[in-house]
Amino acid sequence: MTSAPHSTLFPHASGTAGASQYALPPQDADAVLDGLDPEQREVATALHGPVCVLAGAGTGKTRAITHRIAYGVRAGILQPATVLAVTFTNRAAGEMRGRLRQLGAGGVQARTFHSAALRQLQYFWPKAIGGEIPRLLERKVQLVGEAAARCRVRLDRNELRDTTGEIEWAKVTQTVPADYPAAAVRAGRDAPRDRAEIGQIYAMYEQLKRDRGVIDFEDVLLLTVAVLQDRHDIADQVRRQYQHFVVDEYQDVSPLQQRLLELWLGDRNSICVVGDASQTIYSFTGATPDHLLDFRTRHPGATVVKLVRDYRSTPQVVHLANGLLAQARGRAADHRLALVSQRDPGPEPVFTEYGDEPSEAEGAARRIRDLIAAGVPAGEIAVLYRINAQSEVYEQALADVGVPYQLRGAERFFERQEVREAGAALRGAARFGGNDALLDDVVDLPSQVRAVLSTKGWTPEPPAGSGSVRDRWESLAALVRLAEDFAAARPGATLGDLVAELDERAAAQHAPAVQGVTLASLHAAKGLEWDAVFLVGLTEGMLPITYARTEEQIEEERRLLYVGVTRARLHLALSWALSRSPGGRASRRPSRFLHGLRTGSAAAPGPRSPLDAAGEPGGAGRGTGGGRRRARGPVRCRVCGTTLTEAGAMKLTRCEDCPSDMDEGLYNRLHDWRAGQARQLAQPAYCVFTDKTLMAIAEAVPSDAGELARIAGVGVRKLDRFGADVLAICAGQNGGSDHLADA
């Protein structure tokens, strides 16, 4: 039986349009090889038999494999319609299709595993099963919730999400419901509920799908595998169609995807896989690097090419990345790649220790502001952290210095469901707290907040394990910490005052989405890169995360940091805080992954970077990566002489409870002026000057720009933008400059 035409058997999806598709393709096959380095050229010309490409971060793996396909097509060795390239995201597949078109190999299929399997399942369903293919269930959460209810198990929203994740893991590891409890124990899964209960919910979920004639995304792979295993005629037809396979990000393949790949391949060996075991960071979803590491065992005599020339990062960044992996252990570590930078030298990575988390965020925000002033686009800067709950303090710090930002892979802190629910509960308690028995026995503000949030899932100790239950707790814990800091800064503040503060912060962070600094978790940063990267919160308990206990889990945390380091092209900053809040006990320790790296990063410093700027007030920093940090003694109260440790008091240069010599009339005029500026700029008043800064100005009554600049919270940008008006108001004038509307 002859194979059907490509357009009939597997309809070809049109790729995304782009300017690059209009560039003239190489004139011939040899021209396709132009510009490749020796190892990339070896990949491109290895067109027969199994090929394994071990490609480090930034080594041009996509370039190598797309040129390989294009060279084979242009040389007449490969027919475009017989090549299937698979990867893991629609973005990566689209990029691959675009590059192939530009190289003159536009007929090649480049798809995700799910997309390729779904096309085949849709085509063969009438022949293999009969009738129409079942409807695809876009979101399974609702059906999992119904399955739990049928099993008389009550799941909250977070448990529901985590249970859904457990079902997905079971399916990609080809674990049936009856075997789930034992399999979860063997895999060390932190299940959100009793494993037997999850097994029952899983079984009921499968039954409900059958009753309603629907399938989910994992079923697409499972059913395609089943069809190819049971119907040899269909498997033969697929194998006649697709004769050459390329698999990108092979370290992320799950057992189910590997089985599908084996069925596509049959007894042939025309396959090229590309991956890096040191970038395996999705084990919790079922991904495993074992298929990559075992490739040569399964395919004796395979061509193996290592790509280690790093075109992304400077030698300084690469040196740090290599040093990080040099300490790794385990099987993936045995196959680590030592990268060799191909770029000119750049600035040394900067290691900074701060006294507390707000100081760390403020320090990062100031350095980001300096980078932008030095010409680095905001869109080429990223702040990366371990968990999404860490974003709030950086959202706040960037808003304070007027730097735009965008979140990737997560909602803004104040838009998260649990934060909105907590805000509503606090607002209700502030309004009707006098009649709330929950607050009868608590007096101070932090205790009131803890009492209210305990009804939303906050507990004094974090829940065991990871997942959305932990994410929810982290968000609520962040609100508790904010309340503690707020109460310390404003003794006597009420729950209503805190709610007003939360509303002001939320308003400042609900600005329309703009192109700005990227805030993202390390997981969400995979596959991306920036000119400048800030890796923050690098403490024990955060990286590695507390619930990483086994050696395998610890090593995956190390690989996560490695992925973060290798996102940076030029500027790299790593930081940690010794305590949570200003004045807190310095009980934290920097991440064990940094041991032995800080001293090495200080050797042979490169050209000076804006990241190397001297520290500013607020950070108890020890920089070892570049430049001398400006020495700063203790800040003392100008009234009583006490050493100040709290950020708000340091801004006022006096204790909160010391007498204030503030000019009330001046403060009111500044307050009214700020409201007008906020309206003109379409920004919250908070983003012009904070209340504390206005209070400090009204107490100091500066007479010139130098005196104004010495007030904490009045940086260079705000001095340039608002200084003339503020000084005019302090001098008793109106201070209503019209030009600020155009600033």
Side-chain angles (χ1 to χ4, degrees):
M1 179 179 178
T2 59
S3 62
H6 178 78
S7 60
T8 305
L9 181 54
F10 305 120
H12 182 60
S14 59
T16 56
S20 62
Q21 68 178 316
Y22 301 114
L24 292 176
Q27 292 184 351
D28 53 32
D30 289 340
V32 172
L33 304 178
D34 291 346
L36 299 182
D37 67 31
E39 293 77 26
Q40 292 171 343
R41 181 179 286 255
E42 185 178 357
V43 172
T45 54
L47 294 170
H48 301 285
V51 178
C52 179
V53 183
L54 302 176
T59 57
K61 66 179 179 64
T62 305
R63 176 180 175 82
I65 58 176
T66 53
H67 280 70
R68 179 181 188 271
I69 295 169
Y71 177 72
V73 169
R74 299 295 295 275
I77 300 171
L78 303 176
Q79 296 302 311
T82 67
V83 180
L84 177 59
V86 287
T87 186
F88 284 83
T89 66
N90 289 322
R91 181 184 61 82
E95 179 185 356
M96 195 177 293
R97 286 194 296 269
R99 292 198 189 193
L100 289 169
R101 279 197 307 272
Q102 191 175 358
L103 293 169
V108 173
Q109 290 284 288
R111 296 188 175 280
T112 64
F113 270 99
H114 281 88
S115 173
L118 181 58
R119 284 299 181 104
Q120 294 178 19
L121 195 62
Q122 289 171 329
Y123 182 82
F124 287 115
W125 187 273
K127 179 178 180 180
I129 311 297
E132 294 185 1
I133 187 171
R135 179 175 59 86
L136 186 62
L137 188 65
E138 293 290 340
R139 295 183 70 253
K140 59 175 71 69
V141 171
Q142 185 174 354
L143 201 58
V144 172
E146 185 175 340
R150 295 279 187 100
C151 294
R152 299 188 177 182
V153 177
R154 184 176 183 137
L155 301 176
D156 64 27
R157 184 176 62 89
N158 295 289
E159 289 175 326
L160 178 58
R161 194 177 80 183
D162 287 345
T163 298
T164 302
E166 287 301 292
I167 292 174
E168 291 173 348
W169 171 83
K171 298 184 78 166
V172 301
T173 56
Q174 302 178 81
T175 302
V176 298
D179 295 340
Y180 168 79
V185 171
R186 286 195 303 272
R189 304 286 294 180
D190 286 315
R193 294 292 293 257
D194 179 79
R195 294 181 179 90
E197 285 184 337
I198 293 179
Q200 294 170 356
I201 295 170
Y202 179 13
M204 179 58 69
Y205 167 75
E206 292 298 311
Q207 182 62 52
L208 289 175
K209 284 199 292 102
R210 287 191 293 271
D211 292 345
R212 296 176 187 182
V214 296
I215 59 175
D216 60 27
F217 278 100
E218 289 71 39
D219 289 331
V220 170
L221 301 183
L222 285 163
L223 289 168
T224 305
V225 164
V227 168
L228 296 178
Q229 285 180 158
D230 296 343
R231 292 292 299 268
H232 297 293
D233 57 330
I234 292 176
D236 288 342
Q237 190 173 350
V238 171
R239 291 166 191 160
R240 285 194 298 271
Q241 175 70 56
Y242 293 127
Q243 300 169 19
H244 188 87
F245 297 86
V246 176
V247 186
D248 192 14
E249 303 286 3
Y250 194 52
Q251 78 278 351
D252 290 332
V253 165
S254 70
L256 179 56
Q257 290 165 330
Q258 175 64 22
R259 180 59 186 145
L260 177 58
L261 182 61
E262 291 168 353
L263 289 166
W264 281 340
L265 195 60
D267 58 2
R268 299 165 300 172
N269 64 3
S270 184
I271 181 172
C272 173
V273 300
V274 188
D276 179 9
S278 296
Q279 296 189 67
T280 304
I281 60 173
Y282 295 111
S283 294
F284 60 92
T285 66
T288 171
D290 289 345
H291 305 302
L292 174 67
L293 300 178
D294 292 337
F295 187 83
R296 282 168 286 185
T297 302
R298 296 195 312 276
H299 299 278
T303 299
V304 178
V305 183
K306 294 182 179 180
L307 301 183
V308 297
R309 300 176 195 251
D310 188 324
Y311 296 95
R312 174 187 299 160
S313 304
T314 62
Q316 286 76 10
V317 173
V318 167
H319 175 75
L320 179 59
N322 287 339
L324 181 60
L325 284 190
Q327 304 176 21
R329 293 177 292 181
R331 192 172 182 220
D334 292 339
H335 295 80
R336 57 180 170 261
L337 299 169
L339 301 176
V340 181
S341 175
Q342 305 300 298
R343 293 192 53 167
D344 292 334
E348 291 289 336
V350 178
F351 293 80
T352 310
E353 182 175 277
Y354 291 92
D356 53 76
E357 285 181 5
S359 295
E360 183 181 11
E362 290 164 9
R366 288 192 299 269
R367 289 179 167 184
I368 288 170
R369 180 192 61 198
D370 293 343
L371 278 173
I372 294 172
V376 179
E380 286 294 343
I381 303 173
V383 178
L384 306 181
Y385 35 75
R386 178 60 179 85
I387 60 174
N388 286 325
Q390 291 172 272
S391 75
E392 192 273 336
V393 67
Y394 291 92
E395 296 175 50
Q396 183 70 45
L398 290 172
D400 281 352
V401 297
V403 171
Y405 65 86
Q406 55 186 337
L407 273 81
R408 181 178 181 88
E411 296 172 298
R412 284 178 167 81
F413 182 81
F414 287 100
E415 293 174 358
R416 294 172 194 164
Q417 181 70 23
E418 62 268 23
V419 175
R420 292 202 303 269
E421 292 173 356
L426 292 170
R427 191 171 290 105
R431 189 173 301 164
F432 307 111
N435 300 318
D436 191 341
L438 185 70
L439 302 180
D440 284 349
D441 298 326
V442 293
V443 178
D444 62 287
L445 176 59
S447 297
Q448 291 176 334
V449 171
R450 287 190 286 267
V452 173
L453 296 190
S454 66
T455 67
K456 298 299 177 181
W458 178 83
T459 56
E461 295 297 323
S466 57
S468 57
V469 172
R470 178 71 182 229
D471 290 344
R472 178 183 179 87
W473 184 89
E474 293 284 2
S475 294
L476 297 177
L479 288 174
V480 170
R481 292 195 298 268
L482 192 151
E484 292 168 350
D485 295 343
F486 185 74
R490 290 181 56 180
T494 66
L495 198 54
D497 294 331
L498 176 65
V499 168
E501 171 74 6
L502 294 177
D503 288 343
E504 189 173 11
R505 287 178 177 236
Q509 296 169 27
H510 278 169
V514 293
Q515 280 298 112
V517 173
T518 297
L519 301 181
S521 71
L522 287 162
H523 281 101
K526 178 74 166 62
L528 303 174
E529 59 186 81
W530 295 270
D531 283 346
V533 170
F534 289 74
L535 301 175
V536 299
L538 303 181
T539 60
E540 285 292 302
M542 189 56 73
L543 196 72
I545 198 76
T546 305
Y547 49 78
R549 293 181 290 272
T550 68
E551 180 174 307
E552 291 81 3
Q553 291 169 335
I554 295 293
E555 288 305 313
E556 181 141 336
E557 294 288 298
R558 187 193 307 275
R559 294 194 295 269
L560 194 56
L561 179 56
Y562 174 78
V563 166
V565 168
T566 55
R567 299 309 94 194
R569 300 190 191 105
L570 180 62
H571 305 287
L572 177 63
L574 305 93
S575 63
W576 60 94
L578 297 178
S579 68
R580 175 179 58 79
S581 57
R585 188 164 63 91
S587 58
R588 292 178 174 176
R589 292 179 294 133
S591 169
R592 70 190 74 175
F593 301 144
L594 302 181
H595 294 172
L597 299 180
R598 284 182 273 165
T599 300
S601 67
R608 184 170 175 80
S609 159
L611 281 174
D612 300 331
E616 297 181 42
R622 288 201 293 267
T624 63
R628 295 175 57 87
R629 296 181 63 81
R630 186 172 66 209
R632 177 175 172 81
V635 179
R636 300 187 184 279
C637 174
R638 55 187 166 82
V639 179
C640 69
T642 301
T643 298
L644 301 175
T645 58
E646 196 277 321
M650 292 171 69
K651 181 171 285 191
L652 294 173
T653 65
R654 65 171 175 81
C655 301
E656 293 279 352
D657 53 358
C658 277
S660 170
D661 53 358
M662 182 179 72
D663 182 331
E664 293 284 352
L666 174 57
Y667 178 81
N668 291 333
R669 292 195 299 276
L670 288 168
H671 195 278
D672 292 342
W673 164 84
R674 183 183 66 170
Q677 288 298 312
R679 285 193 298 272
Q680 286 186 27
L681 298 171
Q683 290 183 341
Y686 191 81
C687 292
V688 179
F689 283 120
T690 64
D691 287 344
K692 277 287 195 307
T693 300
L694 291 187
M695 190 179 298
I697 294 171
E699 291 186 355
V701 193
S703 60
D704 58 40
E707 292 180 0
L708 179 59
R710 283 194 287 273
I711 296 174
V714 183
V716 174
R717 188 185 69 86
K718 290 190 177 182
L719 183 65
D720 291 342
R721 197 171 199 181
F722 304 127
D725 272 15
V726 170
L727 291 172
I729 295 171
C730 290
Q733 303 169 21
N734 289 333
S737 302
D738 294 333
H739 75 277
L740 290 177
D742 301 321

